[in-house]
Amino acid sequence: MLLNLHHSMVKTLIDSETKELPVCNFKQPEELLKALDLEIGKEPASNDTILDACKSVMDYSIKTEMTEVLNTNLHTYEVAPVFVMMEKYMMRKLSKLVGYDNGDGVLCPGGSFANMLGMHLARVQIDPDIKSKGMGNNKKMVLFASSEAHYSIAKGASFLGFGESNVVRVETDKIGMMKPDVLDQKIQECIQQGSIPAFVMATTGSTVLGSCDDLNAVADVCEKHGVWMHVDAAWGGGVILSEKYKHLMNGVHRSNSVAWNIHKMSTGLVQCSIFLTKSSGMMEECNRFNAEYLFQPDKHYDVSYDIGDKTVQCGRKVDILKLWTLWKSRGDNGMAKQTDNAFENAKYLVDQIKKREGFRLVLPEFQCPNICFWYIPSRLRNKEENADWWKEVSKIAPQIKRKIMEDGSMMIGYNPLTTKGYVNFFRVIITNPMTTPQDMDFILDEMDRIGHAL
């Protein structure tokens, strides 16, 4: 199939360069929707179906320069008709997955950007005049996230003018889940101080421990105080595709917005980041500028298909093609299987760590397939675990990491976690669909071989 697709792409490129093809094969949105086989089923599409679909993508895309046949700008229907229809289809599909019946979404340049877009919508909902007058006329707005939440909330606070000092970190429990009672207390303190609680970022799959906040409990607090609830599911969003693990996102339908990186747990190509919001039209309300050189109201087609004003970007890559082809080729069941396979390998690794001398889990169980553990060399086993002992343990992971990289055998990260007082430990992220239990054994065998005598 790949060879046939390559031939088709080369022919399209050559024909467009030699002007054998028209610049555009225009169809009205309703006609184009009928011509494209966008629908995704439970089972993977056949190779022939994928090939035919890709040919249709090329046939109905705009042909400009040779290198840009499939690298157009996703802002208006006339410039990117196929990709507009793809994105609208996939955003409807994903919105329904998270329980947003009237939701909408957009592809973003990374999960951090998607989180910031949620912050932006939250503040405009509080005061629509912020868009024109800025934040100077308002009381101080405060953002809330767990102590394990991604650092993009701090970057976003700085970038958007909230200020990093107005990010309140909420204490987590022993496995890294935000404590809803503490969140409630922090919001009440914010109100008592005369500030505005503007945004709460819950997490499904924290970066280090893979912790998943109780979304229903967080939603109870947000609804009580009328605060925008955003879910950073950049890492853990793939759980919602699995019947076995979607309970980790129970309550997501009560949130206002979600960030989800398909290029993480679902192994899409980087980058493939999604922002979803419950309120259709809210993105346009916040970001619309009506640039007259792009968004003329008197075009010869339905201009609601000009989607460029959903986001603050003008130029936007057609990342939707990666998302749609991935999902079309796997089907819903294949996407779910990818999640299940990652969890199965992670469970096997945890079980092996528990059985092997010299390995110690950071947590007894993990909610997502990022498994964290220490390796304890022979000389440190069965010794008093005081401050000096932990200082020595902290030196082990960097030494093993250096050796495995020099040998070229593996690429595995390590880090401390100061919020919990943990010294350097290994963090194995399991997503590769080709990974097997034998690979998990290799990781532990190699670490033991290198680290035993350290």
Side-chain angles (χ1 to χ4, degrees):
M1 184 192 79
L2 290 177
L3 186 60
N4 289 335
L5 178 58
H6 178 261
H7 288 160
S8 295
M9 292 180 69
V10 170
K11 185 177 186 305
T12 301
L13 290 170
I14 293 173
D15 288 348
S16 62
E17 183 73 1
T18 57
K19 301 181 181 180
E20 292 295 323
L21 293 175
V23 171
C24 84
N25 182 5
F26 181 81
K27 290 186 178 295
Q28 291 290 343
E30 298 80 8
E31 295 178 293
L32 183 57
L33 188 59
K34 293 177 182 177
L36 297 173
D37 181 17
L38 294 179
E39 199 67 31
I40 293 172
K42 293 289 184 184
E43 298 301 326
S46 68
N47 286 348
D48 287 343
T49 299
I50 296 292
L51 182 60
D52 288 342
C54 290
K55 288 178 179 177
S56 294
V57 168
M58 290 183 281
D59 288 344
Y60 295 112
S61 291
I62 305 302
K63 287 80 175 176
T64 54
E65 297 179 18
M66 185 177 75
T67 58
E68 297 181 350
V69 171
L70 295 180
N71 190 30
T72 188
N73 197 336
L74 188 51
H75 49 37
T76 64
Y77 177 82
E78 60 189 313
V79 170
V82 174
F83 303 120
V84 166
M85 303 307 288
M86 269 188 189
E87 184 158 296
K88 289 178 79 70
Y89 170 80
M90 289 305 301
M91 294 307 104
R92 285 194 300 270
K93 181 178 180 67
L94 296 176
S95 292
K96 289 178 181 177
L97 263 178
V98 301
Y100 293 168
D101 292 336
N102 190 38
D104 197 4
V106 68
L107 269 289
C108 297
S112 292
F113 185 97
N115 286 336
M116 293 180 199
L117 193 52
M119 298 179 208
H120 177 47
L121 266 61
R123 67 177 179 175
V124 175
Q125 179 176 262
I126 291 170
D127 181 8
D129 286 342
I130 283 176
K131 184 177 175 182
S132 59
K133 298 179 181 178
M135 297 176 66
N137 294 327
N138 283 282
K139 298 177 182 178
K140 181 172 69 176
M141 293 187 184
V142 180
L143 316 175
F144 302 84
S146 83
S147 57
E148 310 305 321
H150 193 259
Y151 63 84
S152 58
I153 190 167
K155 283 194 171 185
S158 173
F159 183 68
L160 294 170
F162 292 97
E164 289 183 27
S165 63
N166 292 318
V167 176
V168 174
R169 292 289 190 168
V170 180
E171 183 183 351
T172 60
D173 63 17
K174 61 183 180 181
I175 63 170
M177 296 172 65
M178 185 193 294
K179 293 183 176 180
D181 57 330
V182 177
L183 173 64
D184 186 40
Q185 177 188 341
K186 296 285 187 184
I187 291 178
Q188 290 187 53
E189 291 172 359
C190 168
I191 295 170
Q192 289 165 5
Q193 293 165 4
S195 300
I196 301 172
F199 178 86
V200 171
M201 187 169 86
T203 301
T204 297
S206 61
T207 307
V208 177
L209 296 177
S211 305
C212 298
D213 292 336
D214 182 340
L215 300 185
N216 274 313
V218 173
D220 288 342
V221 177
C222 291
E223 290 171 5
K224 174 183 175 181
H225 297 288
V227 183
W228 184 285
M229 176 181 168
H230 174 77
V231 179
D232 176 10
W235 163 229
V239 300
I240 205 166
L241 306 175
S242 166
E243 288 298 320
K244 294 180 182 177
Y245 301 105
K246 67 181 182 180
H247 65 275
L248 293 168
M249 286 189 77
N250 281 352
V252 66
H253 66 285
R254 298 173 63 188
S255 66
N256 298 94
S257 56
V258 176
W260 179 4
N261 283 350
I262 297 291
H263 63 250
K264 292 188 175 178
M265 191 178 293
S266 295
T267 67
L269 295 175
V270 175
Q271 59 196 9
C272 194
S273 302
I274 297 161
F275 174 79
L276 301 171
T277 181
K278 180 180 288 183
S279 305
S280 180
M282 184 68 177
M283 288 184 292
E284 290 90 342
E285 181 182 337
C286 292
N287 299 311
R288 183 183 291 115
F289 188 75
N290 291 324
E292 60 185 8
Y293 75 97
L294 287 174
F295 305 114
Q296 302 91 359
D298 53 356
K299 292 181 179 179
H300 64 291
Y301 58 83
D302 181 354
V303 294
S304 68
Y305 288 89
D306 287 351
I307 61 176
D309 267 347
K310 284 186 179 182
T311 178
V312 296
Q313 296 168 265
C314 178
R316 192 157 65 92
K317 288 179 66 65
V318 291
D319 292 328
I320 188 60
L321 181 59
K322 293 179 285 189
L323 172 61
W324 180 82
T325 51
L326 173 75
W327 213 304
K328 182 79 169 180
S329 64
R330 289 182 179 174
D332 293 340
N333 290 343
M335 295 295 287
K337 185 178 180 181
Q338 161 60 27
T339 298
D340 292 343
N341 183 66
F343 274 84
E344 287 166 12
N345 280 312
K347 184 179 184 303
Y348 178 85
L349 181 61
V350 168
D351 290 343
Q352 293 304 306
I353 289 172
K354 289 178 178 178
K355 295 175 183 177
R356 295 197 184 206
E357 186 179 6
F359 292 87
R360 181 183 300 186
L361 290 165
V362 173
L363 299 177
E365 300 292 339
F366 292 86
Q367 291 176 292
C368 279
N370 33 340
I371 308 306
C372 303
F373 59 91
W374 290 282
Y375 180 78
I376 315 296
S378 298
R379 67 181 176 87
L380 295 176
R381 296 173 194 170
N382 304 313
K383 300 291 179 66
E384 181 184 355
E385 298 182 8
N386 54 27
D388 289 336
W389 186 87
W390 279 108
K391 185 177 180 180
E392 288 300 305
V393 170
S394 72
K395 300 175 184 178
I396 303 303
Q399 293 181 68
I400 294 177
K401 169 68 178 284
R402 177 181 61 81
K403 180 61 176 172
I404 62 176
M405 287 196 68
E406 289 174 351
D407 292 348
S409 59
M410 295 186 290
M411 172 64 80
I412 292 174
Y414 72 86
N415 57 266
L417 188 61
T418 54
T419 58
K420 295 295 184 186
Y422 299 151
V423 301
N424 286 330
F425 54 84
F426 287 107
R427 180 170 63 103
V428 177
I429 308 296
I430 303 169
T431 59
N432 190 327
M434 304 300 291
T435 301
T436 67
Q438 289 72 35
D439 296 313
M440 303 296 101
D441 288 331
F442 175 79
I443 291 171
L444 302 183
D445 291 342
E446 189 74 351
M447 287 187 173
D448 193 38
R449 179 186 69 81
I450 295 169
H452 189 78
L454 290 177

